Amino acid sequence: MRISEAYSAVYPLFSPDLSPASRERHGWDLRRFYVLIGDKEIEEITTKDYQLFRVRSKEAGHSASTTETTLRTVRQTLNACAELGQLQALPFKGRGRRLKRPKPRPATIDELGIFWHATIAATWPRNTPWGRPRDYWRGWGAIAYWTALRLHDLTWTLSMKHVYRDHIELTAEKTGIEHVFPLTDNVRRVLSKYQGDDSQPLFQVCESPNMIRKHLRLICEAAEIRKLIPRNFRQSSITQWTRAGGRAGDLIHGCGMSAVLNAYLDPLEILAEVAPRVVWPFPV
């Protein structure tokens, strides 16, 4: 069996709970690997191939994180092959590339407040259940900040079906992790602006993430602040929840608690206790 065939044939069976997004991402990892080192039989892959991939990946301009993430997917796939009797021995992973410490740049409280007021300059999207473009972007920004949801989950998944009496509950497409977020009066006021179908995604107005990023950039230019991207809202959310309650930031992010504590602690109760201390950067 060649490495290009192994993932679709074996790995999904070994890990059936993978989300569709994760399966697609892992498929791209495998393609990246065999494009650079060749579509070998799985029995022929050695530690030297791992090291060769690291060299060629660096030459191709891939980050160290991309390189090592790709190889982790390759190793997981080969491990699945071994577990199912398709492979006798696994190659040693070799020495990885040096990973740089990420340098997050969360949106500041001041930037978020300025962004809110600058949405008055927004001209897109029109004719949405939010009414004016400014109300769409104020809703998008506020919920992005409160939940730290990734762009796809926020814009193309979240709907009023996920909103309950005292919380929001949604399963992330990328990770399959179930998230809960307490509903406060501020969040309820934001959601009250939405006048659409409960079954439709709240912020789905296009199919392209680039359109969201483009108009987000235009608002920031009008506000004369740095060009924020969706990730900056997510970083700000996790930062502020962490400042307010330590482990709350872990719960918002999704790395959460250990398997043991998951059996005893209620994340919503913990977050609801912390919520009043999380800075709300927008006008009340």
Side-chain angles (χ1 to χ4, degrees):
M1 183 187 303
R2 296 186 179 275
I3 187 63
S4 62
E5 304 167 328
Y7 182 73
S8 59
V10 180
Y11 192 56
L13 299 176
F14 185 70
S15 186
D17 293 330
L18 274 179
S19 68
S22 293
R23 292 190 183 193
E24 182 178 8
R25 186 176 69 258
H26 291 177
W28 280 110
D29 287 342
L30 267 293
R31 292 185 192 97
R32 187 181 298 114
F33 180 76
Y34 65 70
V35 162
L36 291 183
I37 66 112
D39 191 12
K40 294 188 172 185
E41 296 286 336
I42 58 175
E43 297 87 353
E44 298 174 355
I45 296 174
T46 67
T47 302
K48 288 184 178 180
D49 293 311
Y50 287 168
Q51 295 305 103
L52 178 61
F53 174 78
R54 289 183 170 104
V55 171
R56 292 181 176 175
S57 180
K58 185 175 181 179
E59 291 173 347
H62 301 157
S63 69
S65 176
T66 296
T67 299
E68 296 306 317
T69 297
T70 298
L71 287 176
R72 183 167 63 247
T73 299
V74 172
R75 294 197 304 273
Q76 289 172 336
T77 303
L78 294 181
N79 185 64
C81 292
E83 290 281 347
L84 296 176
Q86 302 291 327
L87 184 64
Q88 298 304 312
L90 295 170
F92 176 63
K93 67 179 182 180
R95 183 170 182 175
R97 291 179 61 186
R98 182 176 298 175
L99 299 175
K100 294 182 179 179
R101 185 184 184 279
K103 296 181 179 179
R105 298 187 63 205
T108 66
I109 296 300
D110 287 343
E111 285 175 329
L112 291 171
I114 294 171
F115 169 84
W116 176 280
H117 291 290
T119 56
I120 195 171
T123 60
W124 181 91
R126 295 183 178 276
N127 302 319
T128 73
W130 290 90
R132 299 171 298 183
R134 75 182 68 169
D135 295 318
Y136 172 89
W137 284 109
R138 288 174 178 178
W140 186 96
I143 302 304
Y145 169 76
W146 189 249
T147 65
L149 287 172
R150 293 179 176 86
L151 178 60
H152 188 279
D153 291 329
L154 174 67
T155 309
W156 288 279
T157 301
L158 182 64
S159 72
M160 292 301 291
K161 292 193 303 182
H162 299 105
V163 180
Y164 297 87
R165 180 181 60 83
D166 60 351
H167 69 283
I168 299 170
E169 185 173 325
L170 179 141
T171 300
E173 180 175 354
K174 178 179 178 180
T175 62
I177 293 174
E178 294 182 359
H179 292 271
V180 292
F181 313 100
L183 271 182
T184 63
D185 289 341
N186 287 330
V187 178
R188 288 190 181 93
R189 273 192 289 271
V190 169
L191 293 175
S192 69
K193 296 286 186 179
Y194 178 77
Q195 300 297 317
D197 190 328
D198 286 0
S199 65
Q200 296 300 310
L202 291 173
F203 300 107
Q204 182 175 346
V205 292
C206 64
E207 298 301 324
S208 171
N210 291 333
M211 283 294 288
I212 300 296
R213 295 187 179 97
K214 171 187 174 181
H215 286 274
L216 186 59
R217 184 183 71 249
L218 292 175
I219 294 172
C220 292
E221 289 175 354
E224 297 183 347
I225 59 175
R226 67 181 166 110
K227 298 176 179 61
L228 299 175
I229 60 175
R231 187 177 182 85
N232 298 138
F233 286 78
R234 176 171 164 81
Q235 292 169 338
S236 183
S237 174
I238 295 168
T239 297
Q240 295 303 324
W241 277 96
T242 300
R243 289 183 63 190
R247 293 297 299 274
D250 294 345
L251 295 173
I252 291 293
H253 174 272
C255 54
M257 300 172 288
S258 68
V260 173
L261 290 179
N262 275 333
Y264 296 94
L265 299 182
D266 180 0
L268 181 58
E269 187 171 339
I270 294 171
L271 293 174
E273 172 70 22
V274 173
R277 299 196 294 274
V278 178
V279 177
W280 183 256
F282 311 112
V284 176

